[in-house]
Amino acid sequence: MRLLIGLGLREREAAGARQEWIDWQRSTYTLGRTKRRGAEPVPVPRWMIDHLRLLSRDEGLIAPRADGTELQAGFSRRPMMLANALCKTNGVTPHRLRGTFATLFSEEGVPIQTIQKVMRHKSPLTTMPTSKRPGHGRTLRG
C-alpha cells in the first residue's frame, strides 16, 4: 500500500516493483515496466526512502509474496476494504491513492506538466482532476 501512495504506482506496477529501480543517491524510483513504456524518475518522499531502506536488498521485488513471487492482481482489495471500514470512508481505492500522490505533488507547487510526466499520463487533462490544489478536492492524509 505504501508503494501506491508513496510512489504513485498503479497496483500492477507496485506488485512488480523492483529494488534495482531505486536510485538511492538521487532518492528517485524509475519504473522498469510501465503501462505505456515511458517512465520518468519519480522523486521519493523521505518517509518512503526510510521505509524502502528497511526492505533494501541488492535486487529483486520490493514487496514479494511469502514464496518470493510477485503479488497477484487485486492484492490491495482486502486491505483497502478494511481501511475504508476502519476510517468510515467509502470508495477509497488503490487507484485513488495514486491521485493522492499527484495531489501531494500539486500542493508542493510542482507544475502540472511535471506531475503529468511522473504519473505517465499522455494528456495533462488526465492529470488535472487528480492533482487538485489545496481547497479544491479531497486529499487522503495519514
Side-chain angles (χ1 to χ4, degrees):
M1 301 310 286
R2 288 182 178 127
L3 294 174
L4 301 175
I5 197 166
L7 298 175
L9 300 179
R10 295 174 177 95
E11 187 184 52
R12 280 308 319 144
E13 294 168 346
R18 300 195 59 83
Q19 297 282 342
E20 51 270 28
W21 299 341
I22 302 168
D23 183 335
W24 297 105
Q25 300 296 337
R26 293 185 177 92
S27 294
T28 61
Y29 178 82
T30 304
L31 207 56
R33 288 184 309 205
T34 66
K35 184 177 171 183
R36 290 187 173 75
R37 292 203 179 112
E40 290 285 320
V42 176
V44 181
R46 177 90 250 146
W47 65 266
M48 188 68 195
I49 284 287
D50 293 343
H51 177 70
L52 290 171
R53 283 196 196 285
L54 296 174
L55 307 172
S56 181
R57 294 182 309 280
D58 289 337
E59 61 180 36
L61 296 169
I62 293 173
R65 292 176 20 173
D67 65 2
T69 60
E70 198 170 291
L71 295 167
Q72 295 177 335
F75 72 86
S76 63
R77 182 172 295 134
R78 182 169 164 72
M80 288 304 302
M81 287 174 47
L82 291 171
N84 276 311
L86 286 170
C87 297
K88 296 181 172 69
T89 58
N90 189 14
V92 179
T93 64
H95 203 73
R96 183 61 217 138
L97 296 180
R98 186 169 152 77
T100 300
F101 174 82
T103 299
L104 294 171
F105 264 21
S106 181
E107 287 179 349
E108 290 180 19
V110 175
I112 191 75
Q113 296 85 353
T114 302
I115 298 170
Q116 175 190 348
K117 285 180 185 176
V118 168
M119 299 293 289
R120 298 168 310 283
H121 290 157
K122 283 187 176 182
S123 167
L125 297 176
T126 305
T127 309
M128 289 170 71
T130 62
S131 59
K132 301 183 186 306
R133 296 279 182 213
H136 292 93
R138 276 188 345 172
T139 300
L140 299 175
R141 299 217 180 229

